[in-house]
Amino acid sequence: MRHRTIAPLLLLASSALGGCASFSADRGMGVVSDVTERAIGKDVAFVRSADEAATVDAAVKRLLARNLTADAAVQVALLNNKGLQAAYGELALAETDLVAESLPPNPVFSISRITGNGASEVERQVVGDILALATLPARSEIARERFRQAQLRAALATLRLAAEVRRAHVAAVAAGEMVVLLTDAKATAESTAQLAKKLGETGAMNKLDQAREQVFYAEITADLASARQNAASARERLARLMGLWDGDLGFRIPNTLPALPRRPRQQPSIEVDAVSHRVDLQIARMDLVALAKTLDLTEATRFVTLLDVAGIDKRTHDPESPPFRERGFDVQFQIPIFDGGEVRVRQAAETYRQAMNRLTEKAVNVRSEARDAYRVYRSAYDIASHYQREVLPLRQIVTEEMQLRFSSMQVDVFALLTEARQRLASLRAAIDAKRDFWLAQSDLQTAINGGAAATAPSTPSAIASSAQSAAGGDH
């Protein structure tokens, strides 16, 4: 009887052990590395030892020793950002859940001894959860799906950080470029204000015109102070995302944004690319698969939620009779009288339908986001290109012609100063337009691969409004 009872338990346990998962050498980082390399061409590292930390620190120092481009800043962040390391830690914890769910339940051993009136009774039991053993393959497969989701979530966190760093780098460089422009403008405005003061003293300029030049200088001074603060804040944000300490804050970034590409990207199949590559969409698909398997398991076990089998060995000593041994088994199961599992099945089914609707919504949103990101990208390219190829060259011609006419006394100083204000407004708008293009390009990559939600770039009307306000006080 004892052998017939324990044998099925041992058979089920041995078959379950064959499908047990074990800890991987890379802690699941292989998928993260592959996704990151395919999407943005960068390396990732999960630092787990002093040697690995030293290797990462050396790589970060080499990158910081050079002028920090956007790609280099992204690489520094992927190696050095501690929040990202914490996300990789979540992946390592998810692997522990996978291994735990793939192991069969431990058997429970119990022993009891009862004595009285010179007699004693010793009972030993081995209890095994048959239901847990029977459902182990299904639960292990569900845990494996959850672990794959955790791998993609870690990859998504990597892409999000990369997108945030790229946008922060663009913002920091553009802010620095604006500071340089306004510094030069302040010097010019200061000279004109002093000239206006001297002309006023001689009676060659009335009080109204003097006030206009003085207020222009005052406004440029305020704009420069604001631009310097924006540049400092943008640089601090970039440093935070790269995970830099105080000693590493002397990194250098370019003085100007990169030139526009000769022609914009052509991506006629951007919706297909986004649906195929978006990591968050892949996570939603995996979630649906895992919930479908959970629903199947719930339906299969709706009537049986408890099934324990115990092998019993009992030995009795009685002074009035020779000792004797008893063997047997005990089976425990739940009778579904009040709860037939309908609640659990209904919950699993509704959760599955909810995930299906969310996946459909995600697919619709991904296609729309991709279309919109490409339209914004093309619009930003056209606007920035218009400033670089049309507005700024024409402004340069106007400036040169005004200076020639001023030298020959064909125009007065007021016309020259007015043109200087207008040229400054165009230069500021051109920097904003170029910044918006590089931000739009980052958003386009994010829309295809997945990543942080980004704010929309400035629209043409916003740029025009900025230019108008910068030109303020025109005659």
Side-chain angles (χ1 to χ4, degrees), residues 11 25 29 41 44 78 103 149 168-169 177 203 321 326 354 378 393-394 401 431 441 444 459 462 466:
L11 184 61
M29 286 295 295
V44 296
L78 296 189
L103 294 174
Q149 284 182 266
H169 185 273
E177 190 173 355
S321 60
E326 301 172 287
Q354 185 183 51
R378 282 306 307 267
L394 289 173
E401 290 297 322
I431 293 176
Q441 180 166 288
L444 180 63
T459 60
S466 175

Side-chain angles (χ1 to χ4, degrees), residues 89-99 143 146-147 150-151 153:
E90 291 290 337
L91 175 58
L93 290 175
E95 188 178 32
T96 63
D97 294 336
L98 167 62
V99 174
R146 297 300 185 192
F147 177 62
Q151 288 177 307
R153 280 195 296 270

Side-chain angles (χ1 to χ4, degrees), residues 20-31 46 48 87-103 140 143-151 153-154:
C20 288
S22 59
F23 291 104
S24 58
D26 63 355
R27 300 178 181 86
M29 286 295 295
V31 171
F46 186 19
R48 302 291 294 169
Y88 295 160
E90 291 290 337
L91 175 58
L93 290 175
E95 188 178 32
T96 63
D97 294 336
L98 167 62
V99 174
E101 287 295 328
S102 67
L103 294 174
S140 178
R144 196 172 300 278
E145 290 291 337
R146 297 300 185 192
F147 177 62
R148 296 191 188 106
Q149 284 182 266
Q151 288 177 307
R153 280 195 296 270

Side-chain angles (χ1 to χ4, degrees), residues 440-457:
Q441 180 166 288
S442 176
D443 293 343
L444 180 63
Q445 188 176 29
T446 297
I448 295 174
N449 298 316
T455 56

Side-chain angles (χ1 to χ4, degrees), residues 153-175:
R153 280 195 296 270
L156 183 60
T158 304
L159 296 181
R160 282 177 174 168
L161 177 62
E164 291 179 9
V165 172
R166 192 172 294 277
R167 290 180 60 84
H169 185 273
V170 170
V173 174

Side-chain angles (χ1 to χ4, degrees), residues 412-473:
D412 58 12
V413 67
F414 306 112
L416 191 63
L417 295 177
T418 299
E419 192 282 327
R421 290 195 197 95
Q422 293 172 345
R423 183 170 183 270
L424 175 61
S426 296
L427 290 172
R428 296 178 69 174
I431 293 176
D432 289 341
K434 190 160 60 168
R435 177 204 62 198
D436 291 342
F437 165 75
W438 289 111
L439 292 178
Q441 180 166 288
S442 176
D443 293 343
L444 180 63
Q445 188 176 29
T446 297
I448 295 174
N449 298 316
T455 56
S458 301
T459 60
S461 60
I463 294 177
S465 175
S466 175
Q468 184 178 0
S469 63

Side-chain angles (χ1 to χ4, degrees), residues 272-292:
V272 177
D273 294 339
V275 171
S276 302
H277 297 99
R278 279 284 287 261
V279 177
D280 50 353
L281 190 59
Q282 296 178 40
I283 293 175
R285 292 193 191 105
M286 287 186 174
D287 186 47
L288 190 67
V289 171
L291 289 174

Side-chain angles (χ1 to χ4, degrees), residues 45-329:
F46 186 19
V47 180
R48 302 291 294 169
S49 66
D51 292 339
E52 292 174 349
T55 302
V56 166
D57 289 342
V60 169
K61 284 182 171 59
R62 285 195 301 270
L63 291 169
L64 293 177
R66 302 190 295 266
N67 205 20
L68 205 61
T69 64
D71 287 335
V74 169
Q75 186 61 80
V76 169
L78 296 189
L79 296 176
N80 200 51
N81 185 281
K82 301 308 177 185
L84 186 61
Q85 292 295 311
Y88 295 160
E90 291 290 337
L91 175 58
L93 290 175
E95 188 178 32
T96 63
D97 294 336
L98 167 62
V99 174
E101 287 295 328
S102 67
L103 294 174
N106 292 323
V108 178
F109 293 87
S110 67
I111 183 170
S112 61
R113 183 173 184 272
I114 302 175
T115 60
N117 295 329
S120 65
E121 182 179 279
V122 178
E123 181 177 307
R124 294 181 290 270
Q125 292 190 29
V126 181
V127 183
D129 190 342
I130 300 300
L131 183 62
L133 283 172
T135 59
L136 181 61
R139 291 187 294 107
S140 178
E141 185 59 31
I142 293 171
R144 196 172 300 278
E145 290 291 337
R146 297 300 185 192
F147 177 62
R148 296 191 188 106
Q149 284 182 266
Q151 288 177 307
L152 289 183
R153 280 195 296 270
L156 183 60
T158 304
L159 296 181
R160 282 177 174 168
L161 177 62
E164 291 179 9
V165 172
R166 192 172 294 277
R167 290 180 60 84
H169 185 273
V170 170
V173 174
E177 190 173 355
M178 188 68 72
V179 168
V180 173
L181 174 64
L182 292 178
T183 300
D184 294 339
K186 180 187 176 185
T188 302
E190 184 177 10
S191 299
T192 57
Q194 292 174 356
L195 176 60
K197 182 179 180 181
K198 291 179 180 179
L199 292 175
E201 292 173 352
T202 61
M205 180 178 287
N206 60 45
K207 192 172 182 179
L208 174 60
D209 291 332
Q210 291 182 61
R212 283 173 174 168
E213 301 313 319
Q214 292 290 341
V215 76
F216 178 64
Y217 171 63
E219 288 173 348
I220 288 296
T221 302
D223 287 347
L224 177 58
S226 178
R228 284 174 174 165
Q229 178 57 50
N230 290 339
S233 297
R235 186 180 176 90
E236 284 292 346
R237 172 169 170 76
L238 179 60
R240 287 197 302 271
L241 291 173
M242 292 191 296
L244 301 182
W245 294 91
D246 293 343
D248 299 322
L249 296 183
F251 62 89
R252 293 175 289 117
I253 58 177
N255 296 324
T256 59
L257 290 169
L260 296 177
R262 297 184 60 183
R263 56 182 59 87
R265 297 179 181 178
Q266 301 295 331
Q267 293 184 288
S269 59
I270 186 170
E271 295 180 47
V272 177
D273 294 339
V275 171
S276 302
H277 297 99
R278 279 284 287 261
V279 177
D280 50 353
L281 190 59
Q282 296 178 40
I283 293 175
R285 292 193 191 105
M286 287 186 174
D287 186 47
L288 190 67
V289 171
L291 289 174
K293 293 179 179 180
T294 302
L295 177 59
D296 292 340
L297 179 61
T298 303
E299 290 177 341
T301 60
R302 64 175 299 177
F303 296 112
V304 181
T305 58
L306 174 66
L307 180 57
D308 291 343
V309 176
I312 302 174
D313 181 70
K314 185 176 180 181
R315 187 178 183 87
T316 303
H317 293 270
D318 191 335
E320 299 179 358
S321 60
F324 62 93
R325 173 174 291 179
E326 301 172 287
R327 298 185 179 92
F329 66 92

